[in-house]
Amino acid sequence: MDLYVNGEYQSVDIGYVKEIKESSVVFIVKDGEVEMVIDPITLDAIQTICKADEDALIPLDLETNSVILDGEPTK
């Protein structure tokens, strides 16, 4: 998936939330599973997203092991 993140073009991976833990989230991605330690604000945002849509796809940067919630789709 391609997004603009902080005004710059970035190709990101997407994943489904498999499990939300106390300070990390396990995502299902194309190559298997990845667990990311995330801050409490991002964790709360992911919980809110999953409550609204349990099949939501979350943009991830697997190189930096981070979740991207502020990106905008490229046109």
Side-chain angles (χ1 to χ4, degrees):
M1 169 184 269
D2 297 328
L3 297 175
Y4 285 108
V5 180
N6 296 324
E8 295 184 20
Y9 172 82
Q10 184 175 349
S11 184
V12 299
D13 292 289
I14 52 175
Y16 290 102
V17 174
K18 177 180 180 182
E19 179 182 0
I20 298 175
K21 298 183 177 182
E22 187 174 321
S23 62
S24 65
V25 178
V26 178
F27 294 97
I28 298 172
V29 294
K30 64 181 176 189
D31 296 329
E33 294 180 1
V34 63
E35 183 171 355
M36 294 185 181
V37 176
I38 55 176
D39 64 270
I41 294 170
T42 305
L43 183 65
D44 184 53
I46 290 174
Q47 289 172 331
T48 301
I49 291 168
C50 288
K51 285 179 185 175
D53 181 1
E54 64 185 35
D55 293 325
L57 293 169
I58 307 293
L60 309 168
D61 185 341
L62 297 179
E63 290 181 15
T64 62
N65 210 27
S66 59
V67 176
I68 301 170
L69 297 178
D70 59 352
E72 297 178 22
T74 58
K75 296 179 183 177

